[in-house]
Amino acid sequence: MDIKVLFKDKQDEVAELFTSVFASSEGEEEGKLIGKLASELSSNIDNKRIICFGAYKQQSLIGSIFFTRLWFNEPILVYMLAPVAVDTEYQGNGVGQALITYGLNDLRDRSVAVAVTYGDPSFYSKVGFQTLSEDIIRAPLKLSMPEGCG
């Protein structure tokens, strides 16, 4: 598996992956919605505000993640990890964890102070995230789970 930073030219490939993965797990409508989000994020990749990483097996994109810069009053570099997709054929094989680890290491190299995400703490804790309450960092929208990870 080869993991690398992706650029705008991979927009269609990334959108197709997210559409397929989320349609498979959440239904066709959700797949289209997340695919559209991934396409919009991909069209704005600048490797500063929006960073995208992809995992390839031979020439096929099998996983992808986005990190988006969050802005606060304090001069601190904070990024949100979301969304994440791994081809259904490769799920459960460590592709997602490898992508996240690669992305977090890249962010450290960029002197990023904090990375956060909203998702299952039992999964994200495997790659170093810790559970945070909304008292620490407020979610932009109401959460279905009352905590995120940082």
Side-chain angles (χ1 to χ4, degrees):
M1 176 173 56
D2 181 34
I3 299 176
K4 57 187 173 185
V5 174
L6 300 182
F7 297 94
K8 292 179 184 182
D9 65 330
K10 300 296 183 186
Q11 178 180 358
D12 292 341
E13 191 176 9
V14 169
E16 184 178 311
L17 171 72
F18 278 88
T19 300
S20 170
V21 168
F22 280 86
S24 176
S25 65
E26 306 295 326
E28 194 165 324
E29 188 175 321
E30 186 76 6
K32 288 179 183 176
L33 185 66
I34 301 299
K36 182 179 178 194
L37 171 64
S39 180
E40 289 174 13
L41 286 168
S42 295
S43 72
N44 289 297
I45 292 170
D46 61 3
N47 280 310
K48 290 183 182 161
R49 196 174 46 84
I50 297 175
I51 306 166
C52 183
F53 299 94
Y56 284 84
K57 185 158 186 175
Q58 291 147 8
Q59 301 298 319
S60 298
L61 181 65
I62 62 169
S64 183
I65 63 173
F66 286 92
F67 286 93
T68 303
R69 172 96 190 263
L70 301 178
W71 300 91
F72 297 94
N73 291 334
E74 297 82 22
I76 184 171
L77 285 174
V78 179
Y79 279 80
M80 164 74 82
L81 165 61
V84 177
V86 174
D87 187 308
T88 55
E89 186 178 323
Y90 296 94
Q91 290 177 3
N93 294 309
V95 174
Q97 288 181 4
L99 267 168
I100 293 167
T101 299
Y102 185 95
L104 292 174
N105 287 334
D106 184 272
L107 292 179
R108 268 187 218 98
D109 291 345
R110 297 172 190 239
S111 299
V112 171
V114 178
V116 296
T117 192
Y118 295 104
D120 183 356
S122 65
F123 173 77
Y124 288 101
S125 66
K126 294 176 186 177
V127 290
F129 284 92
Q130 299 173 2
T131 302
L132 298 174
S133 75
E134 281 200 88
D135 295 333
I136 307 269
I137 186 167
R138 174 109 21 244
L141 303 171
K142 184 169 174 54
L143 297 175
S144 60
M145 297 173 75
E147 66 268 332
C149 298

